[in-house]
């Protein structure tokens, strides 16, 4: 089979963001666009001849086309085995596990995660390294640099592979292996959690509602929750992955999973509600009548993880992204564990997990995970919650209230201003950055600013540095406002404002969040002038 070298012209906009390259589908459909990025990945890697590459995606529009392209290019570039999920499907955490489980060199994950899908919506390509985690910045920087100068890509003239039939086929000199996307992942979950205890809980009448949001988690949740744990049929809603996610935004938050939220707040609510995002790495946790913020969920999972067999030996440490609330810090403090604060994006947890410094990690954006893979994992969080509920035999609300009574409560919300003019957003951040040195010691109303900075991270494992990761305004007493721009959007800019107030044990732990942080919301506007810069008077999404 002769390898075809195709001349191509470089694009200058292929800089990976927080989690890979994300663009509108028509951008990816330009001549050579996906090919250039995939070839830039291969050109940035060394020593992969004859090794295995994992390829899969979240099933969104354009997934199958790019998988066929990636298979031909991987074979032409010299990979020996190409492992693909049946139907082109792998959830992001499952892809991470498959890379690790089969000792692959790396993986290409096709997803734009929580972003909408369809012919005019979003698509994405991400490269994961051999530990199963997202490529670190030095790799993504190299890919971007290569994409700006690339002049050719390698491919083969071979027919499409039948993605729906499990088994091996030859493409050029490579073996393409189509595997069940769920089985290995489900087996891993059975090792970590006490499935028989969870099954007993469910047999006893415990009711679950899981919204897969017509995205990739459907087959995983159906097999595990309904198949292996005996939950009633229909427990998993929207369980068939659709190319356009049924026209919805597959982001498991109170805005986009509103039906589930309303049901959980209703009179005949199930005991436990959960949802996952487009590619299966995020989770939403709602108890009967109570929403658990992702930051709280991280803290509660960390405090109770020892109740699940996979974590019975305790945790080595906890890691959270900087904008995530300090709730996990309180747990680390009381349990005598190290706490790591990283920039936004799962790629920063990889080194800590590999070095055995952290066992559980989390982000305020509904991402939680552990050292079982190198991605956040939506279903894992759901199963850990279920395992804890099965052991403690208490409601989600009781567990949450007990947690706050023990550790205090971090009232927390994130306000997103989406589709903002990029130059206005840049100006807002630049202005805030300029004011940073003068802020400490000044007050806004009754709030006194103790410190302010632009978060910079020094990786304790490899010494790499990442600057400008978000503006932090820290108030006396532990309250905090963080401003940063999203690195996953595809239209204009998204300004994220993260607002947090800590209430210590003995304080009022039962307030409404909006009420508890009202003065900080006013302060955020005063500090940043969102309205002045963008014309916006209210956020588009509050989570
Ligand atoms: C967002 C979240 C971040 C998460 C990232 C990828 O990034 O804030 O915590 O890691 O999405 O999640 P940003 O740069 O838009 O704030 V996923 O589930 O979209 O891969
Ligand atoms: Co995701």
């Amino acid at each position: 089979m002769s390898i075809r070298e195709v001349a191509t012209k470089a694009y200058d906009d292929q800089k990976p963001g927080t989690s890979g390259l994300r663009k509108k589908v028509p951008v990816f459909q330009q001549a050579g666009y996906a090919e250039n990025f995939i070839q830039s990945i291969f050109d940035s890697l060394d020593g992969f001849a004859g090794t295995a590459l994992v390829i899969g995606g979240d099933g969104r529009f354009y997934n199958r086309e790019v998988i066929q392209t990636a298979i031909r290019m991987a074979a032409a570039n010299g990979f020996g085995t190409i492992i693909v999920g049946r139907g082109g499907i792998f959830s992001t955490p499952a892809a991470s596990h498959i890379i690790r489980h089969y000792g692959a060199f790396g993986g290409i994950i096709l997803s734009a995660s929580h972003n909408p899908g369809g012919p005019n919506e979003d698509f994405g390509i991400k490269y994961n390294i051999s530990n199963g985690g997202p490529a670190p910045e030095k790799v993504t920087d190299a890919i971007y640099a290569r994409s700006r100068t690339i002049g050719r890509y390698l491919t083969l003239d071979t027919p499409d592979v039948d993605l729906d039939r499990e088994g091996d086929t030859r493409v050029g000199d490579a073996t393409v292996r189509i595997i069940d996307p769920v089985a290995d992942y489900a087996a891993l979950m059975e090792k970590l959690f006490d499935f028989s205890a969870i099954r007993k809980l469910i047999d006893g009448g415990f009711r679950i509602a899981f919204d897969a949001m017509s995205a990739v988690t459907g087959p995983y949740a159906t097999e595990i929750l309904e198949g292996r744990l005996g939950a009633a049929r229909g427990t998993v809603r929207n369980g068939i992955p659709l190319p356009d996610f049924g026209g919805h935004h597959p982001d498991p938050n109170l805005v986009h999973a509103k039906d589930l939220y309303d049901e959980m707040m209703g009179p005949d609510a199930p005991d436990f509600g959960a949802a996952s995002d487009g590619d299966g790495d995020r989770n939403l946790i709602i108890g009967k009548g109570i929403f658990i913020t992702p930051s709280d969920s991280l803290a509660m999972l960390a405090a109770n993880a020892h109740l699940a067999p996979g974590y019975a030996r305790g945790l080595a440490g906890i890691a959270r992204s900087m904008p995530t609330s300090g709730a996990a810090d309180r747990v680390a403090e009381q349990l005598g564990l190290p706490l790591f604060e990283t920039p936004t994006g799962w790629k920063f947890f990889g080194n800590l997990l590999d070095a055995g410094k952290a066992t559980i990690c989390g982000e305020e954006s509904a991402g939680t995970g552990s050292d079982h893979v190198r991605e956040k994992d939506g279903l894992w969080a759901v199963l850990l919650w279920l395992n804890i509920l099965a052991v403690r035999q208490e409601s989600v609300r009781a567990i949450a209230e007990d947690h706050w009574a023990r550790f205090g409560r971090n009232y927390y919300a994130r306000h997103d201003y989406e589709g903002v003019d990029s130059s206005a957003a840049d100006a807002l951040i630049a202005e805030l950055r300029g004011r940073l040195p003068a802020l400490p010691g000044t007050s806004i109303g009754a709030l006194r600013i103790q410190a302010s900075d632009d978060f910079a991270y020094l990786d304790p494992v490899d010494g790499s540095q990442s600057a400008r990761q978000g503006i932090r305004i820290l108030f006396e007493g532990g309250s905090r406002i963080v401003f940063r721009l999203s690195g996953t959007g595809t239209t204009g800019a998204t300004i994220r404002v993260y607002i947090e107030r800590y209430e210590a044990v003995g304080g009022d732990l039962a307030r409404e969040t909006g009420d508890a942080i009202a003065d900080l919301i006013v302060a955020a506007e005063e500090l940043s002038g969102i309205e002045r810069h963008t014309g916006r008077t209210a956020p588009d999404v509050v989570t």
Side-chain angles (χ1 to χ4, degrees):
M1 172 66 52
S2 66
I3 293 166
R4 193 152 65 86
E5 191 172 311
V6 183
T8 187
K9 103 181 169 339
Y11 291 89
D12 64 1
D13 64 346
Q14 299 197 325
K15 186 173 170 53
T18 311
S19 183
L21 179 70
R22 291 189 192 172
K23 300 283 175 194
K24 293 284 175 212
V25 167
V27 174
F28 270 104
Q29 287 169 328
Q30 297 173 91
Y33 195 89
E35 289 85 346
N36 280 13
F37 191 70
I38 293 167
Q39 187 66 50
S40 298
I41 295 172
F42 296 153
D43 288 351
S44 307
L45 305 174
D46 267 331
F48 58 80
T51 66
L53 180 75
V54 172
I55 304 178
D58 63 11
R60 70 179 56 225
F61 186 87
Y62 213 41
N63 194 44
R64 284 173 178 262
E65 289 82 349
V66 178
I67 286 181
Q68 299 289 356
T69 301
I71 289 172
R72 290 188 187 96
M73 290 182 62
N77 276 275
F79 280 96
T81 311
I82 301 160
I83 303 172
V84 185
R86 192 186 58 239
I89 291 285
F90 273 136
S91 76
T92 291
S96 183
H97 176 55
I98 296 293
I99 294 169
R100 298 164 65 78
H101 189 63
Y102 293 103
F105 188 88
I108 291 181
I109 301 179
L110 307 168
S111 167
S113 189
H114 57 287
N115 300 9
N120 292 306
E121 296 296 351
D122 293 359
F123 191 75
I125 304 182
K126 183 168 87 154
Y127 180 69
N128 280 30
I129 59 176
S130 63
N131 74 352
E137 281 188 327
K138 67 172 188 307
V139 178
T140 54
D141 287 349
I143 295 170
Y144 176 49
R146 178 64 188 145
S147 74
R148 297 174 63 104
T149 59
I150 194 166
R152 61 94 185 91
Y153 63 85
L154 306 181
T155 190
L156 300 171
D157 286 316
T158 49
D160 278 358
V161 172
D162 181 355
L163 298 177
D164 298 306
R165 218 188 57 231
E166 283 173 38
D168 289 3
T169 29
R170 296 293 286 180
V171 171
D173 292 333
T175 301
V176 176
R177 181 160 300 153
I178 309 288
I179 67 167
D180 180 331
V182 177
D184 292 310
Y185 176 84
L188 175 65
M189 294 299 117
E190 289 220 38
K191 272 203 277 184
L192 295 174
F193 302 115
D194 186 346
F195 271 40
S196 66
I198 302 174
R199 202 176 303 115
K200 239 167 90 187
L201 177 77
I202 292 170
D203 286 349
F206 185 92
R207 285 193 300 136
I208 303 169
F210 184 93
D211 189 347
M213 304 191 88
S214 306
V216 79
T217 324
Y220 295 87
T222 305
E223 165 64 20
I224 293 173
L225 298 177
E226 297 184 11
R228 301 193 185 197
L229 292 169
R233 285 191 61 178
T235 293
V236 178
R237 294 100 186 259
N238 303 315
I240 311 279
L242 302 174
D244 67 348
F245 308 118
H248 297 295
H249 203 123
D251 194 349
N253 60 33
L254 303 185
V255 176
H256 299 297
K258 187 163 186 314
D259 290 352
L260 178 72
Y261 177 74
D262 289 345
E263 182 178 347
M264 294 307 298
M265 297 299 138
D268 186 33
D271 299 286
F272 186 79
S276 196
D277 72 332
D279 62 334
D281 55 2
R282 297 186 180 205
N283 69 88
L284 169 69
I285 303 292
I286 313 177
K288 195 193 285 247
I290 182 170
F291 160 61
I292 304 294
T293 69
S295 294
D296 270 351
S297 179
L298 168 67
M300 292 169 191
L301 291 178
N304 291 284
H306 61 279
L307 300 176
Y311 306 91
R313 282 177 298 131
L315 310 177
I318 307 172
R320 64 162 173 85
S321 68
M322 182 275 281
T324 304
S325 95
D329 306 30
R330 305 279 92 82
V331 175
E333 207 172 275
Q334 271 199 37
L335 302 187
L337 298 173
L339 184 283
F340 300 90
E341 188 177 30
T342 59
T344 296
W346 209 262
K347 57 178 176 263
F348 295 102
F349 293 132
N351 280 345
L352 297 172
L353 293 165
D354 284 352
K357 288 180 178 293
T359 309
I360 285 192
C361 309
E363 295 193 278
E364 53 65 41
S365 55
T368 350
S370 87
D371 59 359
H372 68 293
V373 291
R374 293 293 179 274
E375 290 277 5
K376 54 191 188 270
D377 188 343
L379 211 40
W380 170 90
V382 169
L383 292 168
L384 181 49
W385 262 104
L386 291 174
N387 198 146
I388 291 165
L389 289 161
V391 174
R392 288 187 54 164
Q393 297 284 319
E394 292 169 85
S395 67
V396 173
R397 177 181 288 284
I399 288 173
E401 288 175 351
D402 172 65
H403 185 94
W404 295 328
R406 209 172 134 201
F407 299 99
R409 179 169 179 187
N410 294 70
Y411 291 100
Y412 185 89
R414 187 181 90 193
H415 289 193
D416 290 338
Y417 298 80
E418 297 176 341
V420 168
D421 174 60
S422 292
S423 52
D426 289 342
L428 181 149
I429 294 290
E431 195 180 293
L432 260 175
R433 196 173 273 138
R435 289 179 55 201
L436 282 175
L439 288 175
T442 62
S443 296
I444 304 169
L447 294 162
R448 200 173 154 78
I449 298 176
Q450 189 172 47
S452 56
D453 68 359
D454 194 346
F455 181 64
Y457 181 62
L458 172 66
D459 185 307
V461 179
D462 68 10
S464 59
Q465 300 192 29
S466 307
R468 299 194 156 193
Q469 296 295 323
I471 308 274
R472 298 193 288 187
I473 315 286
L474 310 168
F475 298 92
E476 283 174 5
S479 295
R480 193 176 72 141
I481 304 174
V482 173
F483 299 88
R484 62 178 283 281
L485 300 183
S486 158
T488 57
T490 57
T491 341
T494 293
I495 303 170
R496 302 203 197 281
V497 186
Y498 311 79
I499 305 155
E500 173 177 4
R501 151 161 283 123
Y502 178 60
E503 191 73 46
V505 176
D508 189 350
L509 301 171
R511 297 174 72 177
E512 285 300 321
T513 297
D515 174 46
I517 62 171
D519 56 342
L520 288 155
I521 295 175
V522 174
E525 171 60 31
E526 204 155 304
L527 280 163
S528 62
I530 293 176
E531 186 176 353
R532 175 168 48 88
H533 282 286
T534 67
R536 303 288 178 87
T537 52
D540 299 284
V541 179
V542 175
T543 52

